[in-house]
Amino acid sequence: NAKEQNVEIRRYIPSMQMKAKERLKLENDLRRALERNEFYLVYQPQVQLETEEIVGMEALLRWEHPKRGIVSPVEFIPIAEESGLIVPIGDWVLRTACQQNKEWQLAGYRHICVSVNLSMRQFLQPNLAGKIDALLQEIGLDPCYVDLEITESMTLDKETAFDQLNRLKRLGVFISIDDFGTGYSSLHYLKNMPIDRLKIDRSFVSEVMEDSNNAAIVSTITSMAHHLKLKVTAEGVENKDQLHFLRQQHCHEAQGYLFSKPIKAAEFEAAFLKPLLG
Ligand code: C2E
Ligand code: CA
Ligand code: CA
Ligand code: CA
């Protein structure tokens, strides 16, 4: 019968196709995740090395799947990106992160900046700056407290990236290049891009003490950032030795498990904002 046949056929489906099926299932679930309120944000502090003050936080997306539990963004962001779902999801992330930041400002905490990751599709929207402008006006959040993290690959189409970044800079938001050093980007146009900060990729920082090549890369990126008058943040800082090295290099800021894993809003408030009061 048909059911048996199905089982027989499935036995011969190569694993790639099974993966495609699995992926389609995840995409369908992702399609409903927004309306079902399955997303939430976690926040990770960004610490100024000179003062050890919290100067910012990165908002990171989490998906609590009703059956699978927490699905990693590494797994679902690419699917969201390819299906185009990243645009409404990204809008939700921006809105939620900005609203949260405004709420904390209204509660009387010291004002800090919230970093939000942008994906390629979002970045390519011609009306992105207009959308963000309208959002910030609606919420009443000053654009100087918003940082947009893009990756090097988004700047490869130089003309488009340049126009988009200029529009965003005119709004007054902060722009960071995430995972810096892992993509291709010509130093020549890095020089001309209207950006504010480089975030050194975790892969270099994590082995900075063990691998002298990584140490050289971190030190070079940091010094280049200083020369270009860009801020520089190290990501993935997990221990004191790494922190010490980064201080020696005059890296401005650090982010990583040494300070905190990304945590839910209420936890972040209790651990990092309340202590700043008074
Ligand atoms: P990312 O933007 O490079 O974010 C940093 C990732 O490193 C986060 O993983 C964070 O939890 C992790 N991390 C931070 N400190 C440490 C550390 O000290 N050690 C280690 N081992 N890991 C650390 P997460 O949250 O799983 O996010 C993974 C990636 O998913 C992000 O990488 C980003 O590319 C993407 N992503 C997350 N949220 C969003 C979002 O709202 N929109 C978009 N477009 N992408 C997102
Ligand atoms: Ca990031
Ligand atoms: Ca990163
Ligand atoms: Ca990354």
Side-chain angles (χ1 to χ4, degrees):
N1 67 27
K3 206 177 169 190
E4 258 167 43
Q5 255 180 358
N6 231 336
V7 171
E8 272 313 298
I9 292 165
R10 204 179 287 159
R11 207 171 278 163
Y12 294 102
I13 293 175
S15 68
M16 275 306 286
Q17 280 180 39
M18 284 302 278
K19 273 188 188 153
K21 211 178 148 195
E22 180 74 357
R23 193 185 164 93
L24 201 64
K25 175 84 176 65
L26 214 54
E27 181 183 323
N28 279 327
D29 292 349
L30 204 52
R31 213 170 278 288
R32 295 182 196 92
L34 260 183
E35 57 198 58
R36 293 186 179 172
N37 288 316
E38 292 167 4
F39 291 122
Y40 63 94
L41 295 182
V42 287
Y43 298 88
Q44 188 178 36
Q46 298 172 340
V47 177
Q48 185 162 45
L49 292 186
E50 214 170 272
T51 58
E52 289 199 18
E53 262 181 339
I54 304 257
V55 287
M57 56 191 161
E58 179 171 0
L60 292 151
L61 183 58
R62 294 292 177 264
W63 178 21
E64 183 153 15
H65 189 284
K67 291 208 187 74
R68 293 165 197 256
I70 309 283
V71 186
S72 164
V74 177
E75 213 177 320
F76 73 80
I77 294 282
I79 300 176
E81 176 83 18
E82 274 161 44
S83 59
L85 287 167
I86 194 67
V87 173
I89 294 172
D91 286 347
W92 181 87
V93 170
L94 259 167
R95 171 175 292 272
T96 307
C98 291
Q99 268 170 346
Q100 182 63 76
N101 201 14
K102 178 69 185 184
E103 212 177 285
W104 280 332
Q105 295 188 352
L106 289 174
Y109 299 122
R110 211 193 56 224
H111 295 12
I112 64 176
C113 189
V114 67
S115 297
V116 175
N117 294 284
L118 284 190
S119 71
M120 182 74 115
R121 284 249 197 168
Q122 281 177 285
F123 186 66
L124 291 179
Q125 294 173 96
N127 63 340
L128 180 66
K131 264 167 81 168
I132 295 178
D133 187 26
L135 176 71
L136 295 180
Q137 297 223 21
E138 180 199 324
I139 295 174
L141 181 66
D142 188 325
C144 76
Y145 297 112
V146 177
D147 167 41
L148 303 176
E149 296 193 1
I150 65 167
T151 56
E152 286 169 274
S153 57
M154 299 185 202
T155 64
L156 287 189
D157 178 355
K158 193 176 165 182
E159 220 109 294
T160 311
F162 199 79
D163 288 347
Q164 188 69 296
L165 290 174
N166 273 324
R167 279 194 289 267
L168 292 167
K169 280 313 300 172
R170 249 178 273 133
L171 266 187
V173 297
F174 208 80
I175 309 276
S176 298
I177 306 282
D178 201 2
D179 304 341
F180 188 76
T182 60
Y184 160 90
S185 76
S186 134
L187 297 183
H188 173 71
Y189 67 74
L190 182 68
K191 178 188 81 175
N192 297 312
M193 282 287 169
I195 56 168
D196 303 289
R197 166 166 83 154
L198 304 179
K199 290 188 78 176
I200 307 175
D201 190 67
R202 171 155 57 91
S203 59
F204 304 121
V205 177
S206 68
E207 298 206 331
V208 82
M209 302 313 293
E210 292 80 18
D211 183 335
S212 62
N213 288 332
N214 281 349
I217 290 169
V218 169
S219 142
T220 303
I221 295 176
T222 307
S223 107
M224 181 180 76
H226 281 284
H227 286 297
L228 294 175
K229 304 217 157 41
L230 299 174
K231 246 170 79 176
V232 59
T233 300
E235 49 178 38
V237 180
E238 294 182 351
N239 61 53
K240 290 249 164 74
D241 290 340
Q242 293 163 345
L243 186 67
H244 181 70
F245 178 83
L246 293 164
R247 276 220 172 88
Q248 281 181 329
Q249 305 301 315
H250 303 290
C251 180
H252 299 116
E253 292 171 7
Q255 189 182 333
Y257 293 171
L258 177 64
F259 307 104
S260 172
K261 290 199 169 184
I263 49 181
K264 289 187 177 179
E267 266 183 273
F268 186 90
E269 180 176 349
F272 298 107
L273 299 177
K274 289 214 164 104
L276 295 179
L277 276 185

